[in-house]
């Protein structure tokens, strides 16, 4: 499902923003023949392909085939794959469920934001592998960002720290989603579960692995393997990591509150 050389904001910035915000092209394209499809249909087809086969399977030709268009006709809606990827991301962001955070304690707000992103990445695993250091600045991203910052609003954090705290949370969720996706891909590609893989590998490992030389690895690895029936359990990693993340944020937030009182 996973790895890709694609990234967000790799296309023409002006044309991408025009498409994201549905602004008519600045070059003033003519009316032309009646169109058989729409930008929304092209984006929906592209998301369906990426969800089913991974973003590596996404091409303009594949989208055209999905819609019953010629590849050249598809370019009348979106100028290229780079701009299409940004439209896909922003559409996914628009469609995310957003809980009402208003009356929740801050820990519950952060937990809700993490859960919303985890659910989105489960529906669209390819998103976890797209570098977004230059995010698509469309309506979906802006709404998502504004909503998620509310998890840290009113806690005494300055604006830069609020942004950093949100980045910290989203980075954790994305990291767990990537490893979960890699685990699922490994099972699919090898046609065997983690447990089956370990059963096949165990006889040779017993010959080459010296538990006396690496006692911690032997003891802890065996305990984790028994607990998870695998080397990695995404659900356990998420629960454990989120709890530690919240504890770490609590120290920082409470420290800011104490500083504010002392002023």
């Amino acid at each position: 499902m996973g790895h890709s050389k694609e990234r967000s904001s790799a296309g023409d910035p002006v044309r991408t923003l025009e498409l994201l915000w549905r602004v008519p092209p600045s070059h003033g394209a003519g009316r032309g023949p009646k169109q058989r499809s729409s930008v929304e249909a092209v984006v929906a087809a592209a998301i369906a392909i990426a969800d089913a086969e991974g973003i590596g399977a996404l091409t303009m030709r594949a989208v055209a085939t999905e819609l019953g268009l010629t590849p050249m006709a598809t370019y009348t809606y979106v100028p290229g794959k780079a701009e299409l990827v940004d439209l896909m991301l922003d559409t996914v962001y628009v469609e995310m469920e957003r809980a009402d955070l208003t009356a929740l304690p801050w820990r519950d707000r952060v937990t809700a934001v993490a859960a919303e992103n985890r659910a989105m990445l489960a529906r669209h695993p390819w998103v976890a592998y797209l570098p977004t250091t230059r995010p698509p600045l469309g309506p979906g991203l802006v709404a998502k960002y504004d909503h998620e910052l509310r998890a840290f609003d009113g806690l005494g954090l300055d604006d830069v720290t609020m942004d950093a705290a949100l980045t910290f949370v989203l980075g954790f969720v994305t990291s767990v989603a990537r490893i979960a996706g890699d685990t699922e891909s490994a099972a699919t590609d090898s046609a065997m579960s983690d447990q089956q893989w370990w059963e096949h590998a165990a006889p040779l490992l017993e010959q080459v692995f010296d538990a006396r030389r690496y006692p911690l690895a032997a003891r802890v690895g065996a305990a984790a393997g028994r607990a998870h029936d695998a080397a990695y359990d995404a659900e356990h990693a998420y629960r454990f990591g989120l709890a530690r993340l919240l504890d770490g944020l609590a120290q920082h937030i409470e420290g800011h509150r104490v500083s504010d009182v002392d002023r």
Side-chain angles (χ1 to χ4, degrees):
M1 273 288 182
H3 304 288
S4 169
K5 295 180 181 178
E6 307 301 330
R7 65 172 177 83
S8 62
S9 296
D12 177 81
V14 174
R15 185 66 188 117
T16 299
L17 285 171
E18 288 173 344
L19 285 163
L20 286 168
W21 293 93
R22 302 302 191 268
V23 176
S26 54
H27 53 70
R31 295 177 62 184
K34 183 178 180 181
Q35 294 189 313
R36 293 175 51 199
S37 193
S38 64
V39 171
E40 287 74 20
V42 169
V43 174
I47 290 172
I49 292 168
D51 287 350
E53 304 176 54
I55 203 158
L58 178 67
T59 64
M60 297 298 281
R61 181 176 294 277
V63 173
T65 300
E66 184 79 11
L67 294 173
L69 301 173
T70 65
M72 287 305 297
T74 310
Y75 287 101
T76 65
Y77 303 100
V78 179
K81 185 176 176 181
E83 292 82 2
L84 178 56
V85 167
D86 279 354
L87 286 162
M88 292 164 64
L89 271 175
D90 204 66
T91 299
V92 166
Y93 294 158
V94 166
E95 294 172 352
M96 285 178 68
E97 292 187 9
R98 310 196 210 285
D100 184 358
L101 306 179
T102 308
L104 298 177
W106 76 264
R107 281 178 177 263
D108 292 344
R109 300 201 303 260
V110 174
T111 298
V113 165
E116 289 163 359
N117 279 274
R118 192 182 186 207
M120 179 269 289
L121 293 171
R123 286 193 298 271
H124 310 289
W126 51 273
V127 175
Y129 297 93
L130 277 178
T132 55
T133 50
R134 289 182 181 175
L137 299 176
L141 183 280
V142 172
K144 179 179 186 292
Y145 185 53
D146 189 81
H147 164 74
E148 292 169 352
L149 285 171
R150 295 177 190 277
F152 302 98
D153 194 26
L155 300 180
L157 304 178
D158 60 60
D159 289 351
V160 174
T161 303
M162 287 173 64
D163 178 81
L166 177 58
T167 300
F168 179 42
V169 173
L170 299 185
F172 160 71
V173 176
T174 300
S175 177
V176 173
R178 283 178 183 165
I179 299 175
D182 290 342
T183 302
E184 183 178 343
S185 294
T188 301
D189 294 343
S190 64
M192 64 176 69
S193 67
D194 275 3
Q195 185 174 0
Q196 291 171 324
W197 188 91
W198 283 104
E199 287 172 354
H200 278 72
L204 180 58
L205 282 173
E206 288 175 1
Q207 294 177 36
V208 299
F209 181 71
D210 186 351
R212 291 171 299 181
R213 187 176 181 183
Y214 306 108
L216 279 176
R219 190 188 79 223
V220 175
R226 286 192 299 271
H228 306 316
D229 278 333
Y232 181 84
D233 182 291
E235 183 62 35
H236 179 267
Y238 179 79
R239 292 197 309 269
F240 181 88
L242 182 61
R244 305 293 78 75
L245 182 149
L246 291 169
D247 290 343
L249 286 172
Q251 287 189 326
H252 195 74
I253 290 166
E254 293 306 320
H256 271 266
R257 286 175 170 171
V258 170
S259 297
D260 289 343
V261 170
D262 290 342
R263 285 174 187 163

